[in-house]
Amino acid sequence: MTEMISYLNFHNESIKFENFDVNTNCSFDGFFKGYSTEWVLRKLNGKPFKIYEKLPFALHDQYINDFKQFFEPSNFYRNVVTICSIAEKDLRNLEGYLTILYEYIEHALSYSMIEGKTRFVVYEFNLKRTTYCLKKPWVSAIGNAFVIRALTRIYLLNRDKYILSLIREYSRPFFKINSSGKKISGKWFTWVDEDNFLWFDEYPGDDGWPSLVLNGHIHSLYALHCLLMILPEGLERQSYLDLLRAGLTTMKHNSLKFRRAGKFNSYSLREKDKDDYLPDRTVRQQLELHKMTGESVFKMNAEIFSSDIMIYSKNLKKFN
């Protein structure tokens, strides 16, 4: 259980913070079924396929046809976790799996920008949201989060210091904090709101304001949780633990702001009238936060969101 809410002075910002007992003996990765087994043959037969054409899961058509971007972070994560899960059971062929993983990493790096020792995933296309537009190249907390989680799986497979250095580069942007009172220049996706809650933003706007998307924030918590599994005890690990606890504090006190009683939850607080297109995911994520912290409030939130889904789904059937 946590102590009472307090304030943490963090990178010149005062952030609300609870000292959660974080369970690091759990993982939120899965093994993704439904991939094509032909990818193994394509990998081994030496044909000159592009990297994104020889993976278990294909890129979404929208990325290929509409966005013209041949890298998508959640697809990267899904493929890497699947390949690592197979490699762990087939260690005789580990070098073959690592060859394709390192080629995939180089491909991922071509869709990133680095400022000093800080690396952002970049999206090289314009994206129209309901009330605003993101101009290329834009960045996202969930993009970095998926890459961190994927690289962590590779690092646990071979403990390569190069992979650890990349994980650190992709993790540092979480410390670049923007707020309504500061409005920093350059790329960012970490935000402190007017109530001193810390957010990791999925679609930070060109106007300097966040989108406050529930899914993007929670996937960032998963990524920070991954870092605790691989970083040694010390100031660096403690800094990421502080970030995680501050982000969990935000969820403890703000998750129900996404609730719309008797309806699917909101996808974003900036676009609150927009349904979350995967409301069941919201329920699962609250249960996973309960697993991470032991906090009963997250289990209660899951029950509330689940009840709303049932009511809304029943009403939809009535009118269709």
Side-chain angles (χ1 to χ4, degrees):
M1 301 295 290
T2 66
E3 302 169 357
M4 296 295 290
I5 196 165
S6 59
Y7 285 84
L8 176 71
N9 290 317
F10 197 78
H11 286 240
N12 300 316
E13 293 283 351
S14 181
I15 298 167
K16 284 183 177 172
F17 177 91
E18 292 189 29
N19 195 29
F20 291 91
D21 292 326
V22 176
N23 178 9
T24 56
N25 296 315
C26 59
S27 171
F28 303 102
D29 288 337
F31 181 82
F32 299 98
K33 297 179 181 178
Y35 60 89
S36 170
T37 54
E38 293 177 2
W39 77 271
V40 178
L41 298 175
R42 293 201 299 267
K43 175 173 72 70
L44 296 177
N45 67 15
K47 289 186 178 179
F49 287 96
K50 294 183 174 67
I51 180 62
Y52 55 84
E53 294 174 325
K54 53 182 176 180
L55 294 161
F57 296 98
L59 268 175
H60 295 114
D61 288 343
Q62 188 178 32
Y63 267 75
I64 296 171
N65 299 324
D66 299 338
F67 299 154
K68 310 297 183 188
Q69 172 153 319
F70 300 98
F71 175 77
E72 199 270 315
S74 66
N75 181 257
F76 178 71
Y77 164 73
R78 199 178 187 203
N79 277 306
V80 167
V81 168
T82 300
I83 294 171
C84 287
S85 297
I86 296 169
E88 287 162 0
K89 299 172 184 175
D90 186 22
L91 293 176
R92 289 179 306 167
N93 296 308
L94 180 59
E95 286 306 312
Y97 296 113
L98 289 174
T99 296
I100 195 170
L101 286 169
Y102 277 72
E103 185 182 352
Y104 202 12
I105 290 168
E106 291 307 306
H107 181 67
L109 290 172
S110 70
Y111 287 92
S112 70
M113 61 178 289
I114 188 160
E115 301 173 351
K117 295 182 178 181
T118 300
R119 188 181 296 274
F120 291 89
V121 173
V122 292
Y123 297 78
E124 296 285 358
F125 55 88
N126 295 331
L127 183 67
K128 182 150 181 27
R129 305 294 302 160
T130 305
T131 58
Y132 63 105
C133 182
L134 298 174
K135 295 178 182 177
K136 65 179 183 182
W138 52 277
V139 302
S140 172
I142 200 171
N144 275 54
F146 275 126
V147 172
I148 291 165
R149 296 176 72 190
L151 291 175
T152 299
R153 280 302 293 265
I154 299 171
Y155 179 71
L156 290 172
L157 197 60
N158 70 348
R159 301 287 174 172
D160 183 352
K161 290 181 180 179
Y162 170 65
I163 301 297
L164 183 58
S165 70
L166 290 180
I167 292 169
R168 286 181 162 125
E169 287 179 3
Y170 279 107
S171 301
R172 289 186 185 111
F174 284 93
F175 293 111
K176 190 175 180 182
I177 300 174
N178 199 2
S179 67
S180 56
K182 186 163 53 176
K183 292 288 185 68
I184 63 173
S185 60
K187 302 299 182 187
W188 61 275
F189 52 61
T190 303
W191 175 263
V192 177
D193 69 16
E194 61 276 11
D195 295 316
N196 298 96
F197 287 110
L198 185 72
W199 295 84
F200 308 117
D201 204 57
E202 188 164 346
Y203 300 109
D206 296 334
D207 58 1
W209 292 92
S211 58
L212 303 183
V213 173
L214 183 62
N215 184 50
H217 182 86
I218 291 178
H219 272 288
S220 298
L221 299 181
Y222 297 154
L224 294 170
H225 181 267
C226 279
L227 294 176
L228 302 183
M229 297 165 62
I230 62 171
L231 293 175
E233 293 289 341
L235 290 176
E236 180 188 25
R237 186 180 186 276
Q238 184 61 48
S239 293
Y240 286 111
L241 178 57
D242 288 345
L243 269 184
L244 175 59
R245 284 171 168 161
L248 287 166
T249 304
T250 299
M251 284 295 89
K252 180 177 178 180
H253 296 275
N254 291 275
S255 287
L256 290 184
K257 287 184 178 179
F258 292 85
R259 186 191 179 205
R260 296 183 299 163
K263 297 181 179 180
F264 293 161
N265 63 279
S266 296
Y267 179 71
S268 158
L269 293 186
R270 182 163 180 170
E271 302 165 298
K272 201 158 184 212
D273 292 334
K274 183 178 180 181
D275 284 353
D276 193 322
Y277 58 92
L278 290 173
D280 289 338
R281 174 182 62 193
T282 301
V283 176
R284 173 176 53 79
Q285 289 176 338
Q286 292 293 315
L287 290 173
E288 288 176 338
L289 295 184
H290 174 256
K291 182 179 177 182
M292 189 186 292
T293 64
E295 287 286 327
S296 59
V297 65
F298 294 122
K299 191 173 183 181
M300 180 187 71
N301 289 348
E303 292 169 356
I304 292 169
F305 284 124
S306 180
S307 176
D308 287 335
I309 291 170
M310 290 175 64
I311 293 168
Y312 194 40
S313 299
K314 201 175 288 185
N315 288 337
L316 285 176
K317 285 180 183 176
K318 279 185 192 175
F319 294 104
N320 288 322

